[in-house]
Structures are given as structure tokens and as C-alpha cells.
Amino acid sequence: MFYGILAALAAVIVGLDQWTKWLTVTHIPSTNGSAVVKAIPGFFHITHIKNTGAAWSMLEGQTWLFVLVTAAFFAIVGVLIWKKVLQKRFELVCLAMIAGGALGNLYDRVVLGYVIDMFDFCLINFAVFNVADSFVNIGVVMLAIWMVFFEEKDKRRGDFRWGRPLPQVRAE
């Protein structure tokens, strides 16, 4: 039941991502790869960009690499869920967010050959990104915060997921 909810969450993220990309493509024509609509001048723009790389257009044209990394992510997460290493609901929700974002961008890469990006915070010189990128990053940050600050409480109780605790050395 819960896995169905996670799949639905990932599907909603993919749908929201594809809808915002469709809105961008239909309402902001791109010439020479980009077009800008100043939503809040000097702070936030909607910028229609066709990105063939990752963030800041790194690794341009390496679609096969991004497909391989996405497939590896799904394979590793699948094995960790199957082996019952990942069982906590919060972790799984974070992974569903990451998966939804990864699938949204994977669809663009495979079907279009590039990813459509549109959100541009020009106040800080940041990469132009999309809904899928947002969910990948939010999921990763939430998972990292969980692992650093909250999962530690489980370790204090002796519930170790990544191996056995080191033996205590007695001070004599």
C-alpha cells in the first residue's frame, strides 16, 4: 500500500515537471536555445533553456552517461528496498521525490535529447533549473538531514543499519 503511495508521489512529480515544461515551451518561444521573461526584474526570471548537460550545462551532450547514472540509481535503490535496508517511511518519501525528479529529466533526455529548464534566480548567479531538479535536490537535502541528525538517535539505541558498532576499548 505504502509503495503505491510512493509511486503515486513520483508520478505526480513527473506530471508537474512535464506540465511546467510544456507551459514554458508553449508560452516562451526559444530562439538560439534560450528566451527570457522577466518575472521579477533583477531577482527572478522565467528563462526557457534547452540544456544538454547537467547543472550549469556540465557534461554537455553526454545523454548516455545521465541515462546510465539514473538507471544505476534505480537499481541500487531497488536492491536496498528489496534487501530491506531502506524501510523507514521518511527515507522512502525522500527517495520517491528524487525518483520523480530523475524520471522527469530522464524523459526529456531520452525523448528530446535535452532538458528544458526555466527557473532563473538571477540575484544570485545560480543555474537555471526546473521542477524535477527542485525535487531531486529537496529529496537529497531532506535525506541528508535525516541521516545526519535523526538517524543517529537510532544508532544510540543499538539499531545499526550499516554494520556492527566498533567494540568499546576499556580505559585501564
Side-chain angles (χ1 to χ4, degrees), residues 2-171:
F2 186 67
Y3 291 110
I5 294 170
L6 295 174
L9 173 61
V12 166
I13 291 168
V14 171
L16 181 62
D17 177 60
Q18 293 301 308
W19 178 65
T20 57
K21 290 173 180 175
W22 174 81
L23 285 173
T24 301
V25 169
T26 57
H27 295 297
I28 305 172
S30 176
T31 55
N32 297 327
S34 73
V36 176
V37 173
K38 294 181 179 180
I40 304 171
F43 179 71
F44 176 73
H45 298 171
I46 302 294
T47 305
H48 180 180
I49 291 182
K50 296 175 181 175
N51 185 358
T52 59
W56 291 282
S57 296
M58 292 185 299
L59 300 169
E60 277 190 84
Q62 302 297 319
T63 300
W64 63 271
L65 178 63
F66 300 120
V67 171
L68 184 67
V69 168
T70 304
F73 165 78
F74 281 102
I76 291 168
V77 169
V79 167
L80 291 175
I81 290 171
W82 177 57
K83 293 280 191 180
K84 301 202 183 292
V85 174
L86 297 173
Q87 294 181 355
K88 295 187 174 122
R89 289 183 176 209
F90 188 80
E91 295 171 327
L92 295 172
V93 167
C94 292
L95 289 170
M97 293 169 64
I98 296 167
L103 287 173
N105 280 341
L106 180 66
Y107 176 84
D108 282 5
R109 288 186 200 289
V110 171
V111 173
L112 303 174
Y114 55 86
V115 174
I116 298 166
D117 290 329
M118 76 283 298
F119 301 127
D120 184 6
F121 285 98
C122 47
L123 181 66
I124 54 172
N125 190 13
F126 194 70
V128 180
F129 59 98
N130 58 39
V131 170
D133 298 335
S134 299
F135 276 101
V136 167
N137 285 296
I138 291 168
V140 166
V141 167
M142 286 173 52
L143 189 59
I145 289 170
W146 166 263
M147 292 174 77
V148 170
F149 295 108
F150 298 102
E151 195 172 48
E152 192 65 32
K153 293 178 183 176
D154 292 344
K155 289 181 183 175
R156 281 190 225 121
R157 288 193 311 252
D159 183 16
F160 293 90
R161 178 172 38 178
W162 301 108
R164 296 280 174 228
L166 293 173
Q168 297 293 328
V169 178
R170 292 184 183 210

